[in-house]
Amino acid sequence: MCGDSRHPSAAFLHSFLSLSQALCQNLGDLHVTGPLKDMNFSVPEGGGVRVIYQFTSEPPAVSFRATGEKDGIIDIVPKTGVLYLSGSLDWETKTVHRLQVESLDEKGNVVKGPYAVTIHVEDINDNPPEFDQIKYTGVVRQNSRPGKPFMHVHATDRDDPTTPHAQLTYSILHHFPNPYTEMLFQINNVTGAISPSVTGSYYLDPQKQDTFTLVVTVKDMAGMTMNAFTSSADVIITVKESLWKAPPTIRIQENSTQIYPVNISQVHSNEPDVIYDLFEKEKLPRLPFSIDQNGVIYVTDPLDREEKDTYSFFVVTKDNKGELVDKPLHIHVIVEDINDNPPVCQQALTVIEVQENEDEGSNIGTLLATDMDEEGTLNSRLQFKIGSQVPAVPASNLFFIQQETGILQLTSRSLNRRIASNYSLKVLVTDAVFQTICDVQIYVIDINDQIPIFEKSDYHNVTVAESLPVGTVILEIQATDGDEPATGSSYIIYQVKEGDPNNTFIIETDSVTNRGFVKINKALDFEAASVYNLVISATNPEPLVPGVQYNSSSLTLFKVFVTNVDEPPVFHKTVYKAEVSEDIPVNTLVMTVEAYDPEGDTVRYSLEGDVRKWLRVNSATGQVYTASTLDREQQGTYTVEVAASELTQKSKTTLILHLRDVNDNPPLLAMDYPPFFCHPLRGGERAFIQAADADEQWYYPTFTFSLADDMNARNNWEISKINATHAYLSPKHANFEEKVYNVPVIINDNGKPPLERKVNLKVNICKCSSEKSCFIEVQRDHSWPSTGQAIGILTGVLLIIGTSLLLG
Ligand SMILES: *[C@@H]1O[C@H](CO)[C@@H](O)[C@H](O)[C@H]1NC(C)=O
Ligand SMILES: *[C@@H]1O[C@H](CO)[C@@H](O)[C@H](O)[C@H]1NC(C)=O
Ligand SMILES: *[C@@H]1O[C@H](CO)[C@@H](O)[C@H](O)[C@H]1NC(C)=O
Ligand SMILES: *[C@@H]1O[C@H](CO)[C@@H](O)[C@H](O)[C@H]1NC(C)=O
Ligand SMILES: *[C@@H]1O[C@H](CO)[C@@H](O)[C@H](O)[C@H]1NC(C)=O
Ligand SMILES: *[C@@H]1O[C@H](CO)[C@@H](O)[C@H](O)[C@H]1NC(C)=O
Ligand SMILES: *[C@@H]1O[C@H](CO)[C@@H](O)[C@H](O)[C@H]1NC(C)=O
Ligand SMILES: *[C@@H]1O[C@H](CO)[C@@H](O)[C@H](O)[C@H]1NC(C)=O
Ligand SMILES: *[C@@H]1O[C@H](CO)[C@@H](O)[C@H](O)[C@H]1NC(C)=O
């Protein structure tokens, strides 16, 4: 009976009050009696009539008296000293009751006291949370940023805010309509802020659906237990069109005389009180645009299409903390052309040569001019006209220019160097607005009736080493031409006509002296060609007049003897590559390298940089063998150098060995922390286990997980596959002690052949501070653990909670 005294019934209380201490010897053991002194009690609210404590009296005291905040429900039985409740405490009404207790003697005089007896009322979760409105309404704009709240809901709970009883968590229960797999809205479970989800930010569209009803709930106990109280409220959301839209491409006429800045467009944010700003896409010395705080975009200076014909930049909105509010809007500006550029002659003076005997109608050259205004428009259309011809002899209209193309032609066959050796033309080039004058100088040149004649018909020979560098001049030659100097009729082009199929030589002409320089054009190679018998021709760029022909005086002979230089061996390939399995036996031939010596000397091979001592080479044959066991997991691509040497020379090449994987590594567990489960188990818990493998995988590794053949393990645990790399470990029942269990798990990989590893998984069954961490209690008599030591945090535990709640 006495053992039950913490939860007495009214009947029990009655009998208890009338009992003497002697009849209930066990009371002392329960620590519910003691001498009168200052005392603090902690009593849960509710629960009705009950005994709190009994004060024992010492003579001469015979009775007790309590005063203070008894509030009609706390009192002391004068004779027995039993402090009791005659009704229920209510934390929400009063959290602390302060009493003064005295002991009295027979005459009613105070013997001891008054002592402070304080009763702290402990909250119990007896109040559901309440929303401050039954129904909330909110407005969201299309394309709002995900996670940016546009409204809040709020609920209160009268329970003790320092306990989980008043820890509220919000969630969305229903979402009407819900056309996508993911909700369009989300709620912050702590603040009650409602915002569009990523999906919502993308899909919300008032044209499709402009009203949504959400049912939001609030739970106390942080939503963590099944017996938390829940309330709900409706949230009506109206979707409005986004104001935040990029304007269509803006067209601005260049070089405009308006007063700057000029308003070219305006944008509007969906949010009030944002700061508008421009963000450059291209790095310009200066962006000629600005935006004001109403979103009006201005061009700040006249634009020049010929300098830059399009602009592209972003308008951004920021809040007062500098965070972006809307998605940046892309603004395109096209600068429209006006005819503000005159035609430009391509050359200050266009020089044209014409032979005396040229026919009428002949096309003698083209005057080139450009206009920077927009191509393909009338602003850049050019027309040509001859303004003047000096001298005007033998006629004033010797030349004609095609109006649209600038092509110059002869109007008659009347040029004569004795009458005029040159003419100056002024050509008028016009676009719709501007006119430019271009100068043309026309030289009448002698006809090409002389052939170049070589000073020697045979330059005999030179002997050169094959190592002579490209570009070296090996011979100078000379021919002369009797035509007018410095014209295409006398300028000489030298060419190797015969004896040089691979263009090993090239001849350059000095345009003043017509001297020719025979140079090496490509590397010589004694082994490929040791003698060249060259035949060299001399010709003019201008054609010869009819009746005159080149003859053998325009040809000369020349021999080149190439001498040998001792050259290093040459490998057949610039790089040798091979691929082998990592498990091939020692002394396997992996490849053969081969080099030859241009002089035919014997070549010997050696390896350099074989840091792992994996390879050796037969110095005579170039065969490369494995020298020890290879291992792809140490190095997948092995690169060494092979050297080929002859008596004095040496060359090197690269040998690359790719190792093919062989399944030679058993799989491993790949988790930062071993799994744990919270004690006591509720049933339905499960935890991830994950494996990995050092071997190369075909796309991705595939493992199988199983329990070892162990009675204990199979009775207690279960493994279920999730996918190729993950499985769940779940307890088969809930009767686990709070300790570390060894679970023998076997993991197999999918190699050929597969490898297996047995691991002892240490699974902790432990007290948890929350479902996120394993917890060791240090003060067992606290009713709500607040301190402790987390010994492991496992990612993905939220899924475990969710699952176990669903299953439980
Ligand atoms: C009762 O609690 C108060 C405040 O927490 C404390 O100051 C006082 O010492 C306590 N008295 C006893 C007897 O524990
Ligand atoms: C509340 O939301 C946070 C972040 O989204 C999450 O980590 C936490 O687990 C949630 N709490 C509950 C009780 O759902
Ligand atoms: C700026 O120009 C836009 C059209 O380009 C116009 O809609 C807007 O009202 C103008 N804003 C101001 C402040 O003049
Ligand atoms: C603007 O036009 C005037 C004539 O219309 C011209 O003289 C000036 O060079 C032009 N400016 C630019 C930058 O093209
Ligand atoms: C061009 O012709 C003029 C006579 O018309 C003459 O004096 C001048 O030397 C000539 N210039 C050349 C480079 O031939
Ligand atoms: C090379 O030319 C020299 C004269 O420069 C001549 O004496 C010699 O015989 C020539 N050698 C050959 C092989 O033609
Ligand atoms: C020209 O090149 C070809 C192919 O590279 C080679 O076989 C031949 O020997 C070369 N001839 C001379 C004269 O260098
Ligand atoms: C080649 O032609 C020129 C005249 O054009 C002449 O002087 C020369 O003798 C000719 N040479 C030979 C080898 O016929
Ligand atoms: C296997 O499942 C785990 C847990 O659901 C997941 O994190 C992982 O990405 C999955 N792996 C594959 C290859 O699907």
Side-chain angles (χ1 to χ4, degrees):
M1 254 167 60
C2 295
D4 252 345
S5 63
R6 281 165 196 260
H7 307 288
S9 66
F12 168 76
L13 184 69
H14 184 256
S15 53
F16 182 89
L17 297 179
S18 59
L19 278 177
S20 76
Q21 191 180 340
L23 286 175
C24 199
Q25 288 142 340
N26 283 346
L27 266 182
D29 300 340
L30 293 170
H31 303 294
V32 295
T33 76
L36 182 57
K37 55 177 178 152
D38 284 349
M39 293 207 67
N40 289 332
F41 296 100
S42 188
V43 181
E45 66 174 323
V49 175
R50 71 180 97 168
V51 167
I52 300 171
Y53 196 75
Q54 184 174 25
F55 291 108
T56 52
S57 57
E58 290 157 20
V62 294
S63 66
F64 295 90
R65 180 170 68 200
T67 53
E69 298 166 349
K70 298 197 280 186
D71 297 310
I73 49 169
I74 311 170
D75 213 340
I76 196 158
V77 182
K79 285 278 174 266
T80 61
V82 169
L83 181 68
Y84 69 96
L85 296 176
S86 60
S88 287
L89 294 171
D90 181 16
W91 182 89
E92 286 73 24
T93 315
K94 196 169 169 84
T95 59
V96 183
H97 296 262
R98 291 172 217 281
L99 309 183
Q100 293 77 42
V101 179
E102 302 154 308
S103 60
L104 308 172
D105 64 14
E106 301 258 9
K107 297 202 186 84
N109 294 326
V110 174
V111 177
K112 284 170 88 183
Y115 287 96
V117 171
T118 310
I119 295 171
H120 297 274
V121 184
E122 281 175 28
D123 186 49
I124 64 169
N125 190 21
D126 55 354
N127 288 286
E130 280 170 30
F131 278 107
D132 55 11
Q133 295 177 32
I134 315 167
K135 192 173 185 181
Y136 295 83
T137 56
V139 172
V140 63
R141 293 268 176 197
Q142 180 179 12
N143 293 340
S144 290
R145 229 172 11 129
K148 181 155 191 310
F150 58 88
M151 64 181 296
H152 285 77
V153 295
H154 184 250
T156 48
D157 190 298
R158 293 177 56 229
D159 286 316
D160 185 352
T162 64
T163 67
H165 305 156
Q167 260 185 42
L168 303 186
T169 179
Y170 299 95
S171 60
I172 297 176
L173 183 64
H174 295 302
H175 184 298
F176 303 112
N178 194 2
Y180 302 102
T181 49
E182 278 165 38
M183 289 206 254
L184 300 173
F185 300 98
Q186 59 196 22
I187 193 165
N188 182 311
N189 60 20
V190 177
T191 63
I194 299 178
S195 59
S197 64
V198 174
T199 313
S201 169
Y202 192 80
Y203 285 113
L204 281 175
D205 181 355
Q207 306 290 326
K208 291 189 183 144
Q209 178 74 31
D210 64 356
T211 313
F212 289 87
T213 301
L214 308 185
V215 180
V216 295
T217 64
V218 60
K219 287 185 186 203
D220 61 15
M221 300 299 287
M224 289 298 194
T225 77
M226 297 285 282
N227 43 16
F229 288 111
T230 303
S231 305
S232 61
D234 281 5
V235 176
I236 315 293
I237 296 172
T238 308
V239 184
K240 294 223 168 128
E241 197 183 349
S242 179
L243 298 174
W244 184 241
K245 281 191 207 148
T249 299
I250 301 167
R251 295 178 171 273
I252 303 174
Q253 198 172 72
E254 65 168 326
N255 207 353
S256 148
T257 55
Q258 283 165 289
I259 293 156
Y260 290 86
V262 177
N263 169 7
I264 52 170
S265 189
Q266 187 163 13
V267 294
H268 301 271
S269 174
N270 286 325
E271 313 292 336
D273 304 325
V274 296
I275 299 158
Y276 292 92
D277 201 358
L278 297 185
F279 177 80
E280 279 188 56
K281 196 178 162 201
E282 317 152 288
K283 277 281 154 264
L284 300 176
R286 201 178 60 84
L287 186 71
F289 299 95
S290 65
I291 191 161
D292 71 12
Q293 286 325 303
N294 298 315
V296 180
I297 305 173
Y298 299 93
V299 58
T300 54
D301 294 292
L303 303 180
D304 181 6
R305 191 204 66 90
E306 287 72 36
E307 188 194 321
K308 186 157 171 51
D309 60 358
T310 59
Y311 290 88
S312 183
F313 54 89
F314 292 101
V315 179
V316 294
T317 47
K318 293 179 184 166
D319 60 19
N320 52 15
K321 294 190 201 85
E323 298 283 329
L324 280 186
V325 175
D326 301 287
K327 290 186 271 205
L329 282 188
H330 202 164
I331 309 290
H332 293 281
V333 173
I334 291 182
V335 185
E336 292 191 323
D337 188 46
I338 64 169
N339 191 355
D340 57 354
N341 286 281
V344 176
C345 313
Q346 202 171 60
Q347 286 166 316
L349 177 65
T350 301
V351 177
I352 292 172
E353 289 185 352
V354 195
Q355 289 193 354
E356 281 182 310
N357 61 344
E358 203 69 64
D359 282 336
E360 73 259 18
S362 286
N363 174 348
I364 58 168
T366 305
L367 172 64
L368 298 172
T370 54
D371 188 302
M372 288 196 13
D373 287 318
E374 191 171 357
E375 214 181 305
T377 68
L378 289 177
N379 292 344
S380 64
R381 174 196 181 174
L382 301 185
Q383 294 191 313
F384 300 84
K385 196 172 134 200
I386 293 175
S388 64
Q389 171 199 317
V390 177
V393 290
S396 61
N397 60 344
L398 295 173
F399 306 97
F400 172 78
I401 193 159
Q402 290 182 7
Q403 178 175 278
E404 300 295 326
T405 61
I407 293 174
L408 282 155
Q409 291 170 293
L410 282 183
T411 53
S412 63
R413 186 176 177 164
S414 47
L415 297 183
N416 188 328
R417 271 172 57 79
R418 279 182 298 279
I419 297 172
S421 68
N422 61 76
Y423 293 90
S424 293
L425 304 186
K426 299 239 177 261
V427 179
L428 309 180
V429 187
T430 52
D431 66 16
V433 174
F434 300 94
Q435 182 177 78
T436 302
I437 295 171
C438 295
D439 288 310
V440 180
Q441 187 82 4
I442 298 173
Y443 290 99
V444 180
I445 59 167
D446 188 25
I447 53 175
N448 190 7
D449 56 2
Q450 300 288 314
I451 60 169
I453 310 273
F454 272 106
E455 58 172 8
K456 289 183 194 170
S457 61
D458 189 346
Y459 280 86
H460 300 293
N461 55 68
V462 294
T463 300
V464 295
E466 61 177 327
S467 57
L468 208 58
V470 167
T472 309
V473 175
I474 59 170
L475 178 70
E476 294 186 18
I477 54 178
Q478 180 79 60
T480 49
D481 189 295
D483 286 315
E484 191 185 357
T487 68
S489 300
S490 63
Y491 183 77
I492 298 177
I493 298 168
Y494 297 102
Q495 281 169 306
V496 179
K497 270 279 189 243
E498 285 169 33
D500 185 20
N502 295 348
N503 295 324
T504 308
F505 303 99
I506 190 168
I507 309 174
E508 286 169 8
T509 307
D510 179 329
S511 60
V512 176
T513 62
N514 265 341
R515 201 162 175 75
F517 300 88
V518 182
K519 288 185 176 180
I520 298 173
N521 187 38
K522 286 181 191 164
L524 299 172
D525 182 3
F526 170 81
E527 287 75 20
S530 60
V531 180
Y532 293 88
N533 283 304
L534 306 182
V535 177
I536 299 171
S537 71
T539 54
N540 298 126
E542 286 288 333
L544 295 170
V545 295
V548 179
Q549 276 168 354
Y550 295 107
N551 64 19
S552 61
S553 299
S554 307
L555 297 177
T556 191
L557 302 175
F558 177 50
K559 280 196 179 74
V560 180
F561 298 111
V562 181
T563 56
N564 191 20
V565 172
D566 187 13
E567 292 162 296
V570 179
F571 280 98
H572 283 306
K573 296 185 188 169
T574 51
V575 59
Y576 286 84
K577 291 185 186 175
E579 189 179 281
V580 296
S581 278
E582 58 174 321
D583 65 346
I584 54 171
V586 175
N587 279 330
T588 304
L589 175 66
V590 294
M591 69 180 95
T592 302
V593 297
E594 210 178 335
Y596 66 94
D597 182 55
E599 286 75 43
D601 293 334
T602 306
V603 174
R604 304 199 64 80
Y605 302 94
S606 57
L607 293 180
E608 295 182 11
D610 179 20
V611 288
R612 295 197 184 272
K613 304 273 173 263
W614 277 358
L615 300 175
R616 65 179 175 81
V617 66
N618 181 318
S619 66
T621 62
Q623 288 167 314
V624 179
Y625 297 89
T626 54
S628 58
T629 314
L630 311 179
D631 184 9
R632 190 198 66 89
E633 285 72 32
Q634 276 183 53
Q635 189 163 355
T637 300
Y638 191 54
T639 305
V640 298
E641 281 188 313
V642 194
S645 330
E646 38 110 314
L647 295 174
T648 56
Q649 303 279 341
K650 175 168 169 181
S651 55
K652 290 183 190 176
T653 190
T654 307
L655 183 159
I656 301 175
L657 189 62
H658 291 283
L659 301 188
R660 250 194 322 270
D661 188 46
V662 167
N663 190 23
D664 53 2
N665 289 281
L668 286 169
L669 274 184
M671 287 142 28
D672 292 343
Y673 301 98
F676 69 85
F677 295 100
C678 296
H679 186 270
L681 273 72
R682 285 187 284 195
E685 288 95 339
R686 53 196 196 176
F688 283 123
I689 54 181
Q690 182 182 357
D693 193 323
D695 286 313
E696 193 174 65
Q697 304 297 339
W698 187 248
Y699 298 119
Y700 55 84
T702 302
F703 303 108
T704 51
F705 301 85
S706 54
L707 283 170
D709 192 7
D710 172 302
M711 275 290 283
N712 240 337
R714 297 209 164 165
N715 287 340
N716 285 343
W717 303 98
E718 198 164 46
I719 287 185
S720 52
K721 181 186 167 96
I722 302 175
N723 58 27
T725 53
H726 289 67
Y728 284 125
L729 175 72
S730 32
K732 272 181 140 174
H733 54 82
N735 305 328
F736 282 89
E737 289 170 46
E738 199 178 328
K739 67 167 197 182
V740 176
Y741 283 81
N742 283 322
V743 184
V745 175
I746 293 174
I747 314 171
N748 290 286
D749 65 20
N750 64 333
K752 288 194 177 85
L755 290 181
E756 163 176 310
R757 188 190 294 267
K758 181 170 169 182
V759 288
N760 237 341
L761 197 57
K762 300 225 174 296
V763 180
N764 205 344
I765 308 277
C766 55
K767 272 261 162 45
C768 293
S769 61
S770 72
E771 279 78 353
K772 281 185 198 158
S773 57
C774 204
F775 180 79
I776 299 171
E777 265 187 285
V778 286
Q779 283 168 285
R780 286 189 168 272
D781 48 358
H782 267 245
S783 61
W784 186 262
S786 56
T787 58
Q789 187 189 8
I791 61 165
I793 294 175
L794 191 68
T795 54
V797 177
L798 279 178
L799 188 59
I800 300 174
I801 306 166
T803 316
S804 58
L805 287 182
L806 277 182
L807 296 180

